Amino acid sequence: MAEPDSLPPALAAFLAAAPSGRPPRMDVGIALPDLGPWVAGNALPGVWSFPAPAPGPHVAIVAATHGNEIGGAVLLDRWLRAGLRPACGRLSLVFANLDALGRFDPEDPTASRFIDEDLNRLWDEETLSSGRRSCELRRARALRPLFDTVDVLLDLHSMLWPSDPLILTGRPRRAADLALRLGMPPLVVADEGHAAGLRLIDYGPFAEPEGDRTAILLEAGAHWEEPTVAVMEQAAARLLRLTGLMTEAMPEPRPAAPRLAAVTRTVTARTPGFAFLRPFRGGHVVPARNTLIALDGEEEIRTPHDDCLLVMPSLRTMPGQTAVRMARFVGA
């Protein structure tokens, strides 16, 4: 696993500027393509769904659940322009938060994560059926009937803070099994989600203990970088091969041996003063239990066990947000 060295200069400046006001401009190494041809969709706005003559599973690849994470939209645009079609079953390509994605500005690339609220914290029955209104809830309710028909879903994400790529699987063992079979990237983390609300991969049909529908979330690497798009494409193409939707031979990197880690503690920031003692990189393993890694006001945050994997530490965290997940390797 990668060691927590110094932050990239742009991120160091971002973090240093956080207490004093607006963060500085961050570099965007990829361009959001013209999505005009895809906005209308053929199933729903922003949703393109293609059946094959032969039977098979319904697989959905979801991009831009967060509007500032444009790598998945770059990939779906590439596949749509190439005319990708499934050999069996049904393939749905979903631009999830169209409104936020449409506001993406490379001069202020962190600003368009959502319009009103996080689309990836709304996927419980009570919230979806409530009288609440927001841009994201309206979109979740529109997408819900489609997701109710999906057998296998891959939600494409990227990360602000430095971290090894990984797959998040939620609670069902079948999701971890799928992620381990996928093996790209090789780090698989099973967790309980966020205190702030359920993710799409935690939505009822995908999370039922005895169900057979499966959803996994790919954190493919840093926002706005071409290598992140490459990881998304490798993982999504491999998923289509595993599910039988893609049959033609395509070159792919040989996956490393996958490893599964189970989250043992999710740390949610309680105060505005939450701070790590050093700029930990996601994927770092802390050797000894009871190691102090952060302070949340007066509360000490310590590792609960030896060989503690730090999952996606957020180096600038607001109260109520997940600051870090700590995990133990299964079988270690």
Side-chain angles (χ1 to χ4, degrees):
M1 296 296 171
E3 293 296 321
D5 296 318
S6 59
L7 289 173
L11 283 175
F14 182 94
L15 186 59
S20 59
R22 189 178 184 84
R25 181 182 184 276
M26 299 185 70
D27 292 335
V28 175
I30 57 176
L32 182 64
D34 176 16
L35 301 180
W38 319 126
V39 169
N42 70 350
L44 290 166
V47 177
W48 291 82
S49 194
F50 305 107
H58 182 185
V59 178
I61 309 296
V62 181
T65 297
H66 296 132
N68 65 316
E69 298 177 21
I70 65 172
V74 171
L75 173 59
L76 296 197
D77 171 77
R78 182 182 300 169
W79 280 6
L80 285 164
R81 292 183 190 278
L84 180 69
R85 298 293 184 271
C88 68
R90 176 180 289 272
L91 173 64
S92 293
L93 305 177
V94 181
F95 298 91
N97 197 336
L98 271 178
D99 290 337
L101 186 61
R103 296 190 185 186
F104 179 76
D105 179 359
E107 296 296 321
D108 190 10
T110 62
S112 59
R113 182 176 171 87
F114 53 78
I115 303 297
D116 296 322
E117 58 182 326
D118 193 331
L119 179 58
N120 213 30
R121 302 292 184 270
L122 303 177
W123 293 94
D124 62 279
E125 180 64 37
E126 182 179 359
T127 298
L128 290 168
S129 301
S130 71
R132 277 176 49 195
R133 296 183 180 182
S134 71
C135 177
E136 278 75 21
L137 262 173
R138 184 166 58 250
R139 183 60 169 165
R141 289 162 180 156
L143 291 173
R144 182 182 185 183
L146 173 82
F147 292 148
D148 282 339
T149 70
V150 168
D151 298 299
V152 179
L153 181 143
L154 175 62
D155 194 10
L156 302 176
H157 288 256
S158 55
M159 298 176 276
L160 176 61
W161 302 111
S163 178
D164 296 342
L166 70 150
I167 301 174
L168 295 171
T169 68
R171 288 169 286 181
R173 178 65 205 201
R174 63 184 180 274
D177 290 342
L178 173 62
L180 290 169
R181 287 176 60 210
L182 190 66
M184 300 176 67
L187 178 58
V188 178
V189 177
D191 74 341
E192 297 287 331
H194 300 276
L198 295 189
R199 303 162 298 189
L200 176 56
I201 64 170
D202 305 315
Y203 174 55
F206 304 129
E208 291 171 355
E210 304 304 320
D212 56 6
R213 298 179 181 181
T214 307
I216 58 178
L217 186 158
L218 172 64
E219 294 282 4
H223 294 333
W224 321 310
E225 293 187 2
E226 185 56 45
T228 299
V229 181
V231 170
M232 290 177 174
E233 185 159 31
Q234 291 162 7
R238 183 168 172 81
L239 179 67
L240 296 188
R241 284 188 286 273
L242 284 176
T243 54
L245 268 68
M246 181 184 291
T247 57
E248 65 268 25
M250 293 180 64
E252 64 178 39
R254 183 175 181 178
R259 297 191 75 185
L260 175 64
V263 169
T264 54
R265 182 184 177 190
T266 297
V267 178
T268 302
R270 297 173 55 251
T271 73
F274 187 101
F276 288 95
L277 270 62
R278 56 193 286 196
F280 288 104
R281 176 186 175 90
H284 177 66
V285 176
V286 180
R289 69 175 297 274
N290 205 37
T291 299
L292 180 66
I293 63 168
L295 294 172
D296 192 359
E298 298 297 319
E299 180 186 359
E300 296 184 346
I301 307 299
R302 294 179 177 271
T303 53
H305 47 76
D306 293 344
D307 297 324
C308 184
L309 174 70
L310 302 185
V311 179
M312 296 176 61
S314 178
L315 302 184
R316 193 184 73 167
T317 306
M318 301 295 290
Q321 294 179 342
T322 299
V324 66
R325 282 158 279 194
M326 295 186 275
R328 188 198 305 271
F329 286 106
V330 174

